[in-house]
Amino acid sequence: MQGQVIVPPQKVNGKVSADSNDLEGIYIINLKTEKSTLTERGGYFSIYANVGDTLLFSAVQFKAIKVALTEKDCAKELFFVKMEPLIRVLDEVRINEYKNINAVSLGIISPNTKHYTPAERKLYTATGGGKNQYGLDTKISVDAILNAFSGRTAMLKKEVEVEKKETLMEKIASYYDENYFIKTLKIPEDYVKGFLFYIVEDVKFVEAVNAKNKTMATFVMNELAVKYIALIKEKK
């Protein structure tokens, strides 16, 4: 619009404070611009924002908090944000033995699922699985044909879903290295692969990755990490 003055974002400096010494790696996102940053050692951070912008602070060890910036906040040389530790109280603890967390144990795929290469999948589609061939002289009911077709279609759809998850996990690996999951998200090293299987089931996370929105994907993944760590603690 004519006459409208666009104010460029200014650099805002701040510090997160909490009853904890673990203040590095807290995720901060400007919900208006979707620009993000991480706190450095001691909880210090800098981010570009304007008065009225809302900053969201998120970490696996703290409760998420939103802060709407005021003129006073932006005018300060350093403005402070207080975060509270995330404490989960369990009503009941059940101890179960889980040797491995993987796609099979999480119910993503069947233990008998066969993984096809692209060439094998094309061959299967073209030959109908190399089984029944139906000609004019074949005496077989219409129901049997439909059942065979629908069953094969269901299986192929499941294979496609498995392939999509595998492709998605490759994208995640290209975005983040293993140290990010262990050091920043606080996922135990032995559970990192299980966490990957866990997050590819989340619709919001998948949409963010497919849209190549790393900022939103990282934010959603932080929230999922909190839930996943809670699940691990329940199972121990």
Side-chain angles (χ1 to χ4, degrees), residues 15-236:
K15 182 183 185 305
V16 172
S17 63
D19 296 330
S20 171
N21 294 324
D22 188 10
L23 299 175
E24 184 177 359
I26 296 172
Y27 188 71
I28 307 168
I29 180 173
N30 185 327
L31 296 179
K32 183 176 181 180
T33 65
E34 292 193 351
K35 299 296 183 182
S36 63
T37 186
L38 295 172
T39 57
E40 299 177 356
R41 186 174 182 180
Y44 295 95
F45 67 90
S46 295
I47 191 169
Y48 284 90
N50 282 323
V51 174
D53 288 359
T54 298
L55 303 183
L56 176 61
F57 296 76
S58 175
V60 294
Q61 68 271 34
F62 298 112
K63 294 180 181 178
I65 183 175
K66 293 181 181 180
V67 177
L69 292 176
T70 64
E71 291 185 8
K72 186 176 180 180
D73 293 329
C74 295
K76 292 180 180 178
E77 292 186 7
L78 192 72
F79 89 95
F80 290 83
V81 177
K82 177 72 173 179
M83 296 190 73
E84 299 180 9
L86 184 63
I87 301 175
R88 294 181 177 274
V89 179
L90 302 179
D91 296 328
E92 180 182 1
V93 177
R94 295 183 179 181
I95 300 177
N96 298 310
E97 182 179 357
Y98 291 87
K99 295 181 179 180
N100 295 297
I101 296 180
N102 50 45
V104 175
S105 64
L106 291 174
I108 298 174
I109 62 175
S110 165
N112 299 320
T113 299
K114 176 178 174 56
H115 295 274
Y116 293 91
T117 64
E120 288 174 333
R121 187 172 292 107
K122 289 180 181 179
L123 178 62
Y124 189 93
T125 302
T127 62
K131 294 184 179 180
N132 298 326
Q133 295 181 350
Y134 304 112
L136 294 176
D137 296 331
T138 302
K139 294 182 178 179
I140 186 168
S141 69
V142 174
D143 287 341
I145 296 176
L146 293 176
N147 289 338
F149 178 78
S150 62
R152 182 165 67 89
T153 301
M155 184 187 68
L156 289 175
K157 286 182 178 179
K158 190 170 185 180
E159 290 293 333
V160 170
E161 290 302 314
V162 171
E163 188 176 56
K164 286 181 180 178
K165 289 181 173 64
E166 292 174 345
T167 302
L168 184 62
M169 291 176 70
E170 290 177 0
K171 288 183 180 179
I172 297 170
S174 68
Y175 285 166
Y176 315 93
D177 58 23
E178 190 174 15
N179 286 332
Y180 180 82
F181 298 107
I182 298 172
K183 295 182 179 180
T184 303
L185 297 184
K186 313 300 181 185
I187 304 294
E189 185 174 357
D190 293 340
Y191 290 87
V192 171
K193 286 187 177 179
F195 179 62
L196 294 178
F197 285 115
Y198 178 73
I199 60 179
V200 297
E201 289 297 301
D202 186 83
V203 175
K204 289 184 179 179
F205 179 76
V206 173
E207 289 178 348
V209 173
N210 288 335
K212 297 182 180 179
N213 189 338
K214 186 177 179 180
T215 298
M216 185 57 64
T218 303
F219 170 68
V220 175
M221 189 164 59
N222 271 263
E223 292 187 328
L224 293 174
V226 174
K227 297 177 181 178
Y228 188 73
I229 291 173
L231 289 174
I232 294 174
K233 291 180 179 179
E234 290 179 10
K235 293 173 182 177
K236 288 185 176 180

